[in-house]
Amino acid sequence: MTSSYSGGGSANECVEVAHTADGGRAVRDSKDHAAGTQFHGPAEWAAFVAALKGGRFGR
């Protein structure tokens, strides 16, 4: 899945997130595929999402 919002203008920062077979996620920079892909297991991804929802990351 590619983000439908990238900030507009010259700020084209997007990531692609895909489901993995084990329920985790694979994440990569949509503008720089050569940089590689990060793989996150289900528990790690759930903790990340919970932290986002809980406001642990500032804007």
mmCIF file of all heavy atoms in Angstrom:
data_model
loop_
_atom_site.group_PDB
_atom_site.id
_atom_site.type_symbol
_atom_site.label_atom_id
_atom_site.label_comp_id
_atom_site.label_asym_id
_atom_site.label_seq_id
_atom_site.Cartn_x
_atom_site.Cartn_y
_atom_site.Cartn_z
ATOM 1 N N MET A 1 0.851 -1.171 0.000
ATOM 2 C CA MET A 1 0.000 0.000 0.000
ATOM 3 C C MET A 1 0.895 1.231 0.000
ATOM 4 O O MET A 1 1.814 1.318 0.783
ATOM 5 C CB MET A 1 -0.896 -0.023 1.236
ATOM 6 C CG MET A 1 -1.597 1.275 1.486
ATOM 7 S SD MET A 1 -2.558 1.296 3.001
ATOM 8 C CE MET A 1 -3.929 0.312 2.490
ATOM 9 N N THR A 2 0.641 2.160 -0.871
ATOM 10 C CA THR A 2 1.376 3.409 -0.933
ATOM 11 C C THR A 2 0.512 4.513 -0.331
ATOM 12 O O THR A 2 -0.681 4.562 -0.571
ATOM 13 C CB THR A 2 1.732 3.765 -2.384
ATOM 14 O OG1 THR A 2 2.478 2.691 -2.944
ATOM 15 C CG2 THR A 2 2.544 5.031 -2.466
ATOM 16 N N SER A 3 1.146 5.397 0.405
ATOM 17 C CA SER A 3 0.425 6.499 1.030
ATOM 18 C C SER A 3 -0.255 7.356 -0.022
ATOM 19 O O SER A 3 0.300 7.616 -1.081
ATOM 20 C CB SER A 3 1.413 7.356 1.829
ATOM 21 O OG SER A 3 0.787 8.525 2.286
ATOM 22 N N SER A 4 -1.457 7.818 0.281
ATOM 23 C CA SER A 4 -2.158 8.716 -0.632
ATOM 24 C C SER A 4 -1.834 10.171 -0.324
ATOM 25 O O SER A 4 -2.256 11.070 -1.013
ATOM 26 C CB SER A 4 -3.671 8.491 -0.540
ATOM 27 O OG SER A 4 -4.113 8.775 0.767
ATOM 28 N N TYR A 5 -1.064 10.418 0.735
ATOM 29 C CA TYR A 5 -0.681 11.769 1.125
ATOM 30 C C TYR A 5 0.826 11.823 1.289
ATOM 31 O O TYR A 5 1.396 11.048 2.035
ATOM 32 C CB TYR A 5 -1.348 12.161 2.445
ATOM 33 C CG TYR A 5 -0.901 13.526 2.919
ATOM 34 C CD1 TYR A 5 -1.421 14.673 2.341
ATOM 35 C CD2 TYR A 5 0.049 13.652 3.905
ATOM 36 C CE1 TYR A 5 -1.005 15.923 2.750
ATOM 37 C CE2 TYR A 5 0.473 14.905 4.327
ATOM 38 C CZ TYR A 5 -0.062 16.035 3.746
ATOM 39 O OH TYR A 5 0.363 17.271 4.155
ATOM 40 N N SER A 6 1.465 12.724 0.575
ATOM 41 C CA SER A 6 2.922 12.808 0.654
ATOM 42 C C SER A 6 3.418 14.190 1.047
ATOM 43 O O SER A 6 4.580 14.482 0.909
ATOM 44 C CB SER A 6 3.536 12.400 -0.688
ATOM 45 O OG SER A 6 3.116 13.305 -1.693
ATOM 46 N N GLY A 7 2.556 15.034 1.514
ATOM 47 C CA GLY A 7 2.981 16.356 1.949
ATOM 48 C C GLY A 7 2.896 17.424 0.878
ATOM 49 O O GLY A 7 2.919 18.603 1.173
ATOM 50 N N GLY A 8 2.829 17.045 -0.358
ATOM 51 C CA GLY A 8 2.712 17.999 -1.444
ATOM 52 C C GLY A 8 3.988 18.789 -1.674
ATOM 53 O O GLY A 8 4.964 18.661 -0.960
ATOM 54 N N GLY A 9 3.979 19.604 -2.692
ATOM 55 C CA GLY A 9 5.144 20.427 -3.014
ATOM 56 C C GLY A 9 6.378 19.598 -3.244
ATOM 57 O O GLY A 9 6.345 18.554 -3.876
ATOM 58 N N SER A 10 7.497 20.074 -2.709
ATOM 59 C CA SER A 10 8.758 19.361 -2.889
ATOM 60 C C SER A 10 8.969 18.290 -1.826
ATOM 61 O O SER A 10 9.940 17.557 -1.862
ATOM 62 C CB SER A 10 9.926 20.349 -2.854
ATOM 63 O OG SER A 10 9.985 20.968 -1.576
ATOM 64 N N ALA A 11 8.062 18.183 -0.865
ATOM 65 C CA ALA A 11 8.175 17.203 0.218
ATOM 66 C C ALA A 11 7.449 15.923 -0.160
ATOM 67 O O ALA A 11 6.349 15.661 0.277
ATOM 68 C CB ALA A 11 7.624 17.770 1.520
ATOM 69 N N ASN A 12 8.043 15.147 -1.027
ATOM 70 C CA ASN A 12 7.415 13.910 -1.496
ATOM 71 C C ASN A 12 7.929 12.715 -0.721
ATOM 72 O O ASN A 12 8.547 11.817 -1.261
ATOM 73 C CB ASN A 12 7.657 13.722 -2.995
ATOM 74 C CG ASN A 12 6.903 14.750 -3.800
ATOM 75 O OD1 ASN A 12 5.783 15.093 -3.477
ATOM 76 N ND2 ASN A 12 7.523 15.253 -4.846
ATOM 77 N N GLU A 13 7.681 12.690 0.574
ATOM 78 C CA GLU A 13 8.130 11.590 1.405
ATOM 79 C C GLU A 13 6.999 10.594 1.571
ATOM 80 O O GLU A 13 6.010 10.871 2.238
ATOM 81 C CB GLU A 13 8.585 12.083 2.787
ATOM 82 C CG GLU A 13 9.785 12.991 2.725
ATOM 83 C CD GLU A 13 9.436 14.431 3.042
ATOM 84 O OE1 GLU A 13 8.288 14.705 3.418
ATOM 85 O OE2 GLU A 13 10.312 15.277 2.902
ATOM 86 N N CYS A 14 7.119 9.451 0.947
ATOM 87 C CA CYS A 14 6.114 8.403 1.040
ATOM 88 C C CYS A 14 6.777 7.091 1.389
ATOM 89 O O CYS A 14 7.929 6.855 1.040
ATOM 90 C CB CYS A 14 5.387 8.212 -0.285
ATOM 91 S SG CYS A 14 4.298 9.557 -0.731
ATOM 92 N N VAL A 15 6.034 6.251 2.049
ATOM 93 C CA VAL A 15 6.500 4.893 2.306
ATOM 94 C C VAL A 15 5.456 3.925 1.784
ATOM 95 O O VAL A 15 4.280 4.258 1.672
ATOM 96 C CB VAL A 15 6.757 4.620 3.809
ATOM 97 C CG1 VAL A 15 7.888 5.469 4.326
ATOM 98 C CG2 VAL A 15 5.507 4.828 4.624
ATOM 99 N N GLU A 16 5.916 2.740 1.446
ATOM 100 C CA GLU A 16 5.030 1.662 1.047
ATOM 101 C C GLU A 16 5.044 0.640 2.171
ATOM 102 O O GLU A 16 6.104 0.298 2.690
ATOM 103 C CB GLU A 16 5.511 1.027 -0.252
ATOM 104 C CG GLU A 16 5.480 1.992 -1.419
ATOM 105 C CD GLU A 16 6.110 1.444 -2.684
ATOM 106 O OE1 GLU A 16 6.966 0.547 -2.604
ATOM 107 O OE2 GLU A 16 5.731 1.920 -3.753
ATOM 108 N N VAL A 17 3.876 0.162 2.546
ATOM 109 C CA VAL A 17 3.744 -0.817 3.620
ATOM 110 C C VAL A 17 2.979 -2.008 3.069
ATOM 111 O O VAL A 17 1.906 -1.846 2.476
ATOM 112 C CB VAL A 17 2.993 -0.227 4.829
ATOM 113 C CG1 VAL A 17 2.844 -1.261 5.931
ATOM 114 C CG2 VAL A 17 3.697 1.017 5.352
ATOM 115 N N ALA A 18 3.536 -3.199 3.258
ATOM 116 C CA ALA A 18 2.878 -4.419 2.778
ATOM 117 C C ALA A 18 2.742 -5.414 3.918
ATOM 118 O O ALA A 18 3.598 -5.493 4.798
ATOM 119 C CB ALA A 18 3.697 -5.034 1.656
ATOM 120 N N HIS A 19 1.662 -6.171 3.895
ATOM 121 C CA HIS A 19 1.469 -7.253 4.861
ATOM 122 C C HIS A 19 2.450 -8.377 4.540
ATOM 123 O O HIS A 19 2.712 -8.655 3.372
ATOM 124 C CB HIS A 19 0.047 -7.815 4.769
ATOM 125 C CG HIS A 19 -1.004 -6.847 5.188
ATOM 126 N ND1 HIS A 19 -1.477 -6.779 6.472
ATOM 127 C CD2 HIS A 19 -1.673 -5.904 4.493
ATOM 128 C CE1 HIS A 19 -2.392 -5.835 6.551
ATOM 129 N NE2 HIS A 19 -2.529 -5.282 5.357
ATOM 130 N N THR A 20 2.976 -9.019 5.566
ATOM 131 C CA THR A 20 3.829 -10.183 5.372
ATOM 132 C C THR A 20 3.055 -11.437 5.773
ATOM 133 O O THR A 20 2.021 -11.361 6.440
ATOM 134 C CB THR A 20 5.134 -10.077 6.191
ATOM 135 O OG1 THR A 20 4.796 -9.947 7.575
ATOM 136 C CG2 THR A 20 5.970 -8.881 5.747
ATOM 137 N N ALA A 21 3.559 -12.595 5.385
ATOM 138 C CA ALA A 21 2.864 -13.860 5.639
ATOM 139 C C ALA A 21 2.643 -14.124 7.124
ATOM 140 O O ALA A 21 1.662 -14.756 7.507
ATOM 141 C CB ALA A 21 3.646 -15.015 5.014
ATOM 142 N N ASP A 22 3.538 -13.607 7.975
ATOM 143 C CA ASP A 22 3.418 -13.863 9.417
ATOM 144 C C ASP A 22 2.565 -12.825 10.139
ATOM 145 O O ASP A 22 2.455 -12.843 11.356
ATOM 146 C CB ASP A 22 4.794 -13.955 10.066
ATOM 147 C CG ASP A 22 5.556 -12.632 10.085
ATOM 148 O OD1 ASP A 22 5.086 -11.641 9.492
ATOM 149 O OD2 ASP A 22 6.639 -12.595 10.698
ATOM 150 N N GLY A 23 1.958 -11.893 9.400
ATOM 151 C CA GLY A 23 1.119 -10.865 10.006
ATOM 152 C C GLY A 23 1.864 -9.587 10.323
ATOM 153 O O GLY A 23 1.287 -8.639 10.832
ATOM 154 N N GLY A 24 3.141 -9.546 10.006
ATOM 155 C CA GLY A 24 3.934 -8.338 10.204
ATOM 156 C C GLY A 24 3.801 -7.413 9.003
ATOM 157 O O GLY A 24 2.845 -7.516 8.229
ATOM 158 N N ARG A 25 4.771 -6.536 8.862
ATOM 159 C CA ARG A 25 4.753 -5.593 7.745
ATOM 160 C C ARG A 25 6.155 -5.443 7.148
ATOM 161 O O ARG A 25 7.159 -5.543 7.850
ATOM 162 C CB ARG A 25 4.286 -4.204 8.197
ATOM 163 C CG ARG A 25 2.896 -4.165 8.807
ATOM 164 C CD ARG A 25 1.819 -4.510 7.798
ATOM 165 N NE ARG A 25 0.486 -4.343 8.351
ATOM 166 C CZ ARG A 25 -0.163 -5.280 9.033
ATOM 167 N NH1 ARG A 25 0.397 -6.441 9.276
ATOM 168 N NH2 ARG A 25 -1.375 -5.049 9.484
ATOM 169 N N ALA A 26 6.179 -5.158 5.853
ATOM 170 C CA ALA A 26 7.394 -4.795 5.141
ATOM 171 C C ALA A 26 7.241 -3.332 4.759
ATOM 172 O O ALA A 26 6.187 -2.926 4.266
ATOM 173 C CB ALA A 26 7.566 -5.659 3.894
ATOM 174 N N VAL A 27 8.276 -2.529 4.997
ATOM 175 C CA VAL A 27 8.196 -1.085 4.786
ATOM 176 C C VAL A 27 9.385 -0.631 3.954
ATOM 177 O O VAL A 27 10.522 -1.045 4.201
ATOM 178 C CB VAL A 27 8.215 -0.329 6.151
ATOM 179 C CG1 VAL A 27 8.094 1.164 5.939
ATOM 180 C CG2 VAL A 27 7.123 -0.843 7.073
ATOM 181 N N ARG A 28 9.125 0.218 2.958
ATOM 182 C CA ARG A 28 10.227 0.789 2.171
ATOM 183 C C ARG A 28 9.872 2.196 1.718
ATOM 184 O O ARG A 28 8.705 2.585 1.666
ATOM 185 C CB ARG A 28 10.572 -0.085 0.979
ATOM 186 C CG ARG A 28 9.546 -0.084 -0.123
ATOM 187 C CD ARG A 28 9.984 -0.954 -1.261
ATOM 188 N NE ARG A 28 8.991 -0.944 -2.337
ATOM 189 C CZ ARG A 28 9.115 -1.604 -3.453
ATOM 190 N NH1 ARG A 28 10.188 -2.344 -3.661
ATOM 191 N NH2 ARG A 28 8.195 -1.535 -4.369
ATOM 192 N N ASP A 29 10.899 2.949 1.386
ATOM 193 C CA ASP A 29 10.764 4.303 0.858
ATOM 194 C C ASP A 29 10.295 4.191 -0.588
ATOM 195 O O ASP A 29 10.963 3.571 -1.418
ATOM 196 C CB ASP A 29 12.114 5.010 0.936
ATOM 197 C CG ASP A 29 12.093 6.448 0.455
ATOM 198 O OD1 ASP A 29 11.223 6.821 -0.347
ATOM 199 O OD2 ASP A 29 12.974 7.202 0.886
ATOM 200 N N SER A 30 9.164 4.785 -0.919
ATOM 201 C CA SER A 30 8.616 4.651 -2.267
ATOM 202 C C SER A 30 9.446 5.374 -3.322
ATOM 203 O O SER A 30 9.318 5.085 -4.506
ATOM 204 C CB SER A 30 7.177 5.156 -2.315
ATOM 205 O OG SER A 30 7.126 6.537 -2.045
ATOM 206 N N LYS A 31 10.285 6.293 -2.908
ATOM 207 C CA LYS A 31 11.124 7.031 -3.856
ATOM 208 C C LYS A 31 12.529 6.448 -3.974
ATOM 209 O O LYS A 31 13.292 6.847 -4.841
ATOM 210 C CB LYS A 31 11.239 8.505 -3.430
ATOM 211 C CG LYS A 31 9.922 9.215 -3.294
ATOM 212 C CD LYS A 31 9.263 9.405 -4.640
ATOM 213 C CE LYS A 31 7.995 10.226 -4.461
ATOM 214 N NZ LYS A 31 7.131 10.188 -5.594
ATOM 215 N N ASP A 32 12.888 5.522 -3.078
ATOM 216 C CA ASP A 32 14.247 4.989 -3.065
ATOM 217 C C ASP A 32 14.229 3.490 -2.776
ATOM 218 O O ASP A 32 14.636 3.035 -1.719
ATOM 219 C CB ASP A 32 15.088 5.729 -2.014
ATOM 220 C CG ASP A 32 16.554 5.348 -2.049
ATOM 221 O OD1 ASP A 32 16.980 4.627 -2.985
ATOM 222 O OD2 ASP A 32 17.289 5.769 -1.138
ATOM 223 N N HIS A 33 13.740 2.715 -3.732
ATOM 224 C CA HIS A 33 13.649 1.270 -3.546
ATOM 225 C C HIS A 33 15.019 0.633 -3.309
ATOM 226 O O HIS A 33 15.116 -0.393 -2.630
ATOM 227 C CB HIS A 33 12.990 0.617 -4.749
ATOM 228 C CG HIS A 33 11.556 1.012 -4.919
ATOM 229 N ND1 HIS A 33 10.789 0.567 -5.959
ATOM 230 C CD2 HIS A 33 10.737 1.800 -4.187
ATOM 231 C CE1 HIS A 33 9.570 1.063 -5.873
ATOM 232 N NE2 HIS A 33 9.520 1.831 -4.805
ATOM 233 N N ALA A 34 16.077 1.231 -3.841
ATOM 234 C CA ALA A 34 17.423 0.679 -3.675
ATOM 235 C C ALA A 34 17.895 0.728 -2.226
ATOM 236 O O ALA A 34 18.823 0.020 -1.854
ATOM 237 C CB ALA A 34 18.407 1.426 -4.572
ATOM 238 N N ALA A 35 17.242 1.538 -1.392
ATOM 239 C CA ALA A 35 17.628 1.649 0.019
ATOM 240 C C ALA A 35 17.252 0.398 0.811
ATOM 241 O O ALA A 35 17.680 0.234 1.941
ATOM 242 C CB ALA A 35 16.998 2.877 0.649
ATOM 243 N N GLY A 36 16.438 -0.464 0.220
ATOM 244 C CA GLY A 36 16.077 -1.703 0.883
ATOM 245 C C GLY A 36 14.724 -1.647 1.556
ATOM 246 O O GLY A 36 14.012 -0.642 1.520
ATOM 247 N N THR A 37 14.388 -2.753 2.180
ATOM 248 C CA THR A 37 13.096 -2.923 2.841
ATOM 249 C C THR A 37 13.315 -3.308 4.285
ATOM 250 O O THR A 37 14.187 -4.118 4.588
ATOM 251 C CB THR A 37 12.279 -4.020 2.128
ATOM 252 O OG1 THR A 37 12.122 -3.659 0.753
ATOM 253 C CG2 THR A 37 10.915 -4.200 2.751
ATOM 254 N N GLN A 38 12.536 -2.740 5.174
ATOM 255 C CA GLN A 38 12.563 -3.112 6.589
ATOM 256 C C GLN A 38 11.423 -4.085 6.835
ATOM 257 O O GLN A 38 10.312 -3.888 6.342
ATOM 258 C CB GLN A 38 12.365 -1.890 7.481
ATOM 259 C CG GLN A 38 13.456 -0.879 7.393
ATOM 260 C CD GLN A 38 13.175 0.305 8.307
ATOM 261 O OE1 GLN A 38 12.086 0.445 8.870
ATOM 262 N NE2 GLN A 38 14.139 1.177 8.453
ATOM 263 N N PHE A 39 11.695 -5.131 7.610
ATOM 264 C CA PHE A 39 10.673 -6.107 7.962
ATOM 265 C C PHE A 39 10.415 -6.041 9.452
ATOM 266 O O PHE A 39 11.349 -6.036 10.249
ATOM 267 C CB PHE A 39 11.115 -7.515 7.551
ATOM 268 C CG PHE A 39 11.241 -7.666 6.061
ATOM 269 C CD1 PHE A 39 12.442 -7.434 5.420
ATOM 270 C CD2 PHE A 39 10.131 -8.021 5.297
ATOM 271 C CE1 PHE A 39 12.553 -7.558 4.044
ATOM 272 C CE2 PHE A 39 10.232 -8.145 3.920
ATOM 273 C CZ PHE A 39 11.447 -7.920 3.293
ATOM 274 N N HIS A 40 9.135 -5.978 9.831
ATOM 275 C CA HIS A 40 8.736 -5.871 11.231
ATOM 276 C C HIS A 40 7.740 -6.975 11.533
ATOM 277 O O HIS A 40 6.749 -7.140 10.815
ATOM 278 C CB HIS A 40 8.104 -4.500 11.497
ATOM 279 C CG HIS A 40 9.005 -3.370 11.124
ATOM 280 N ND1 HIS A 40 10.027 -2.944 11.930
ATOM 281 C CD2 HIS A 40 9.055 -2.599 10.008
ATOM 282 C CE1 HIS A 40 10.658 -1.943 11.338
ATOM 283 N NE2 HIS A 40 10.083 -1.724 10.170
ATOM 284 N N GLY A 41 7.988 -7.718 12.603
ATOM 285 C CA GLY A 41 7.087 -8.785 13.019
ATOM 286 C C GLY A 41 5.782 -8.221 13.549
ATOM 287 O O GLY A 41 5.657 -7.018 13.808
ATOM 288 N N PRO A 42 4.772 -9.086 13.736
ATOM 289 C CA PRO A 42 3.458 -8.630 14.173
ATOM 290 C C PRO A 42 3.477 -7.857 15.499
ATOM 291 O O PRO A 42 2.833 -6.814 15.616
ATOM 292 C CB PRO A 42 2.644 -9.917 14.311
ATOM 293 C CG PRO A 42 3.361 -10.922 13.491
ATOM 294 C CD PRO A 42 4.797 -10.525 13.479
ATOM 295 N N ALA A 43 4.195 -8.352 16.491
ATOM 296 C CA ALA A 43 4.231 -7.677 17.799
ATOM 297 C C ALA A 43 4.930 -6.325 17.697
ATOM 298 O O ALA A 43 4.479 -5.336 18.285
ATOM 299 C CB ALA A 43 4.922 -8.556 18.833
ATOM 300 N N GLU A 44 6.006 -6.287 16.948
ATOM 301 C CA GLU A 44 6.748 -5.034 16.771
ATOM 302 C C GLU A 44 5.880 -4.001 16.051
ATOM 303 O O GLU A 44 5.835 -2.828 16.438
ATOM 304 C CB GLU A 44 8.024 -5.316 15.977
ATOM 305 C CG GLU A 44 8.928 -4.149 15.814
ATOM 306 C CD GLU A 44 10.185 -4.497 15.029
ATOM 307 O OE1 GLU A 44 10.198 -5.492 14.282
ATOM 308 O OE2 GLU A 44 11.156 -3.740 15.167
ATOM 309 N N TRP A 45 5.180 -4.432 15.014
ATOM 310 C CA TRP A 45 4.314 -3.514 14.268
ATOM 311 C C TRP A 45 3.169 -3.021 15.152
ATOM 312 O O TRP A 45 2.833 -1.837 15.139
ATOM 313 C CB TRP A 45 3.784 -4.178 13.002
ATOM 314 C CG TRP A 45 3.042 -3.207 12.140
ATOM 315 C CD1 TRP A 45 1.696 -3.090 12.003
ATOM 316 C CD2 TRP A 45 3.615 -2.174 11.338
ATOM 317 N NE1 TRP A 45 1.387 -2.058 11.139
ATOM 318 C CE2 TRP A 45 2.550 -1.480 10.723
ATOM 319 C CE3 TRP A 45 4.922 -1.778 11.064
ATOM 320 C CZ2 TRP A 45 2.758 -0.413 9.860
ATOM 321 C CZ3 TRP A 45 5.118 -0.710 10.204
ATOM 322 C CH2 TRP A 45 4.049 -0.035 9.613
ATOM 323 N N ALA A 46 2.572 -3.920 15.927
ATOM 324 C CA ALA A 46 1.473 -3.531 16.815
ATOM 325 C C ALA A 46 1.943 -2.502 17.847
ATOM 326 O O ALA A 46 1.229 -1.548 18.155
ATOM 327 C CB ALA A 46 0.894 -4.763 17.513
ATOM 328 N N ALA A 47 3.151 -2.681 18.373
ATOM 329 C CA ALA A 47 3.694 -1.724 19.346
ATOM 330 C C ALA A 47 3.921 -0.364 18.684
ATOM 331 O O ALA A 47 3.643 0.685 19.287
ATOM 332 C CB ALA A 47 4.994 -2.252 19.934
ATOM 333 N N PHE A 48 4.406 -0.362 17.458
ATOM 334 C CA PHE A 48 4.626 0.882 16.718
ATOM 335 C C PHE A 48 3.302 1.613 16.494
ATOM 336 O O PHE A 48 3.187 2.813 16.755
ATOM 337 C CB PHE A 48 5.314 0.573 15.385
ATOM 338 C CG PHE A 48 5.417 1.750 14.464
ATOM 339 C CD1 PHE A 48 6.232 2.831 14.775
ATOM 340 C CD2 PHE A 48 4.710 1.786 13.274
ATOM 341 C CE1 PHE A 48 6.329 3.928 13.926
ATOM 342 C CE2 PHE A 48 4.802 2.866 12.419
ATOM 343 C CZ PHE A 48 5.610 3.940 12.746
ATOM 344 N N VAL A 49 2.281 0.897 16.040
ATOM 345 C CA VAL A 49 0.971 1.507 15.792
ATOM 346 C C VAL A 49 0.375 2.043 17.096
ATOM 347 O O VAL A 49 -0.183 3.146 17.131
ATOM 348 C CB VAL A 49 0.025 0.514 15.095
ATOM 349 C CG1 VAL A 49 -1.402 1.059 15.029
ATOM 350 C CG2 VAL A 49 0.529 0.193 13.695
ATOM 351 N N ALA A 50 0.509 1.278 18.182
ATOM 352 C CA ALA A 50 -0.005 1.733 19.479
ATOM 353 C C ALA A 50 0.699 3.008 19.916
ATOM 354 O O ALA A 50 0.063 3.934 20.451
ATOM 355 C CB ALA A 50 0.169 0.641 20.536
ATOM 356 N N ALA A 51 2.004 3.090 19.680
ATOM 357 C CA ALA A 51 2.757 4.298 20.043
ATOM 358 C C ALA A 51 2.296 5.487 19.202
ATOM 359 O O ALA A 51 2.157 6.602 19.717
ATOM 360 C CB ALA A 51 4.252 4.061 19.856
ATOM 361 N N LEU A 52 2.037 5.273 17.921
ATOM 362 C CA LEU A 52 1.516 6.351 17.065
ATOM 363 C C LEU A 52 0.174 6.850 17.581
ATOM 364 O O LEU A 52 -0.046 8.046 17.724
ATOM 365 C CB LEU A 52 1.353 5.852 15.629
ATOM 366 C CG LEU A 52 2.591 5.715 14.782
ATOM 367 C CD1 LEU A 52 2.230 5.075 13.437
ATOM 368 C CD2 LEU A 52 3.261 7.051 14.561
ATOM 369 N N LYS A 53 -0.715 5.903 17.842
ATOM 370 C CA LYS A 53 -2.058 6.265 18.326
ATOM 371 C C LYS A 53 -2.002 6.941 19.686
ATOM 372 O O LYS A 53 -2.844 7.781 19.997
ATOM 373 C CB LYS A 53 -2.944 5.031 18.386
ATOM 374 C CG LYS A 53 -3.340 4.522 17.024
ATOM 375 C CD LYS A 53 -4.228 3.298 17.132
ATOM 376 C CE LYS A 53 -4.670 2.807 15.774
ATOM 377 N NZ LYS A 53 -5.545 1.614 15.893
ATOM 378 N N GLY A 54 -1.004 6.581 20.491
ATOM 379 C CA GLY A 54 -0.867 7.157 21.809
ATOM 380 C C GLY A 54 -0.155 8.492 21.844
ATOM 381 O O GLY A 54 0.047 9.086 22.899
ATOM 382 N N GLY A 55 0.243 8.979 20.675
ATOM 383 C CA GLY A 55 0.876 10.284 20.584
ATOM 384 C C GLY A 55 2.327 10.340 21.031
ATOM 385 O O GLY A 55 2.838 11.402 21.381
ATOM 386 N N ARG A 56 3.017 9.203 20.995
ATOM 387 C CA ARG A 56 4.411 9.171 21.466
ATOM 388 C C ARG A 56 5.385 9.829 20.504
ATOM 389 O O ARG A 56 6.505 10.103 20.843
ATOM 390 C CB ARG A 56 4.838 7.728 21.724
ATOM 391 C CG ARG A 56 4.061 7.141 22.897
ATOM 392 C CD ARG A 56 4.686 5.945 23.530
ATOM 393 N NE ARG A 56 6.115 5.980 23.620
ATOM 394 C CZ ARG A 56 6.871 4.884 23.529
ATOM 395 N NH1 ARG A 56 6.325 3.709 23.350
ATOM 396 N NH2 ARG A 56 8.181 4.971 23.638
ATOM 397 N N PHE A 57 4.943 10.080 19.280
ATOM 398 C CA PHE A 57 5.798 10.723 18.278
ATOM 399 C C PHE A 57 5.242 12.102 17.989
ATOM 400 O O PHE A 57 4.079 12.240 17.633
ATOM 401 C CB PHE A 57 5.876 9.908 16.993
ATOM 402 C CG PHE A 57 6.375 8.502 17.206
ATOM 403 C CD1 PHE A 57 5.502 7.436 17.232
ATOM 404 C CD2 PHE A 57 7.714 8.255 17.397
ATOM 405 C CE1 PHE A 57 5.943 6.142 17.426
ATOM 406 C CE2 PHE A 57 8.179 6.983 17.602
ATOM 407 C CZ PHE A 57 7.285 5.919 17.621
ATOM 408 N N GLY A 58 6.051 13.121 18.090
ATOM 409 C CA GLY A 58 5.593 14.487 17.821
ATOM 410 C C GLY A 58 5.545 14.764 16.338
ATOM 411 O O GLY A 58 6.083 14.037 15.537
ATOM 412 N N ARG A 59 4.893 15.825 16.012
ATOM 413 C CA ARG A 59 4.822 16.239 14.603
ATOM 414 C C ARG A 59 5.968 17.121 14.265
ATOM 415 O O ARG A 59 6.548 17.822 14.931
ATOM 416 C CB ARG A 59 3.533 16.992 14.341
ATOM 417 C CG ARG A 59 2.351 16.043 14.371
ATOM 418 C CD ARG A 59 1.181 16.709 13.790
ATOM 419 N NE ARG A 59 1.257 16.345 12.382
ATOM 420 C CZ ARG A 59 0.347 16.643 11.491
ATOM 421 N NH1 ARG A 59 -0.665 17.344 11.835
ATOM 422 N NH2 ARG A 59 0.445 16.263 10.263
#
